[in-house]
Amino acid sequence: MITTGVTIEPFTTLEEVVDASMTFDVKVKAITSNSAIVLITPSNNNATYYFDVVPKEKLDEYPDVKEYAEWLIKYIKEPYDFYGKSFAEVLSAGAVAYPFEAGTLAPNTDYCAFAFGVTTEGAITTEVTLVPFKTL
């Protein structure tokens, strides 16, 4: 039983922006023993990317940072696909200032903040930009 009228509205799905030449300005500020603020500024505000902070020892488990990025996207994307959710939910576009709040980082530990372009389908589109830092 339909209890309301049906409304049909036209819409257009925007094309995904892929910019293989996109670069990132990554800065880490306000570093404490267990927190930091990561600032990411992409050269293209319309293309999607992924960013995070990882302990340097985790990166050292991989032959190169691109292999780590490929593993990470697969690790993150599989549960989204399984549950029918959009992988785009974890991606960013435009400048971001993200606080890794107190307790999210360990004291006196080497980390790398990183960013790389990635499509909503999980294809990596740029080089990985890494910025090492150490908590107090």
Side-chain angles (χ1 to χ4, degrees):
M1 169 191 275
I2 297 175
T3 59
T4 62
V6 175
T7 302
I8 298 174
E9 293 288 331
F11 68 93
T12 302
T13 303
L14 298 176
E15 253 185 68
E16 183 169 32
V17 175
V18 175
D19 183 353
S21 65
M22 182 167 60
T23 59
F24 300 92
D25 180 24
V26 178
K27 292 184 171 106
V28 183
K29 305 222 176 206
I31 300 168
T32 70
S33 63
N34 62 5
S35 67
I37 298 173
V38 175
L39 308 163
I40 312 282
T41 307
S43 61
N44 182 334
N45 286 326
N46 297 315
T48 54
Y49 65 93
Y50 183 80
F51 75 93
D52 205 351
V53 166
V54 63
K56 186 179 177 312
E57 68 181 27
K58 180 70 176 173
L59 281 180
D60 292 343
E61 296 173 12
Y62 292 82
D64 61 56
V65 70
K66 178 120 186 194
E67 282 193 34
Y68 172 74
E70 289 167 350
W71 169 84
L72 182 63
I73 291 304
K74 182 179 177 189
Y75 176 80
I76 294 169
K77 191 174 181 307
E78 281 180 355
Y80 275 83
D81 290 345
F82 180 79
Y83 290 107
K85 301 234 181 216
S86 173
F87 174 66
E89 293 176 37
V90 299
L91 302 180
S92 298
V96 172
Y98 188 85
F100 287 84
E101 298 185 359
T104 58
L105 304 176
N108 195 32
T109 303
D110 290 313
Y111 286 95
C112 288
F114 65 89
F116 56 89
V118 62
T119 68
T120 56
E121 296 300 315
I124 295 173
T125 59
T126 68
E127 296 296 317
V128 179
T129 300
L130 282 178
V131 172
F133 70 98
K134 187 171 186 168
T135 52
L136 306 177

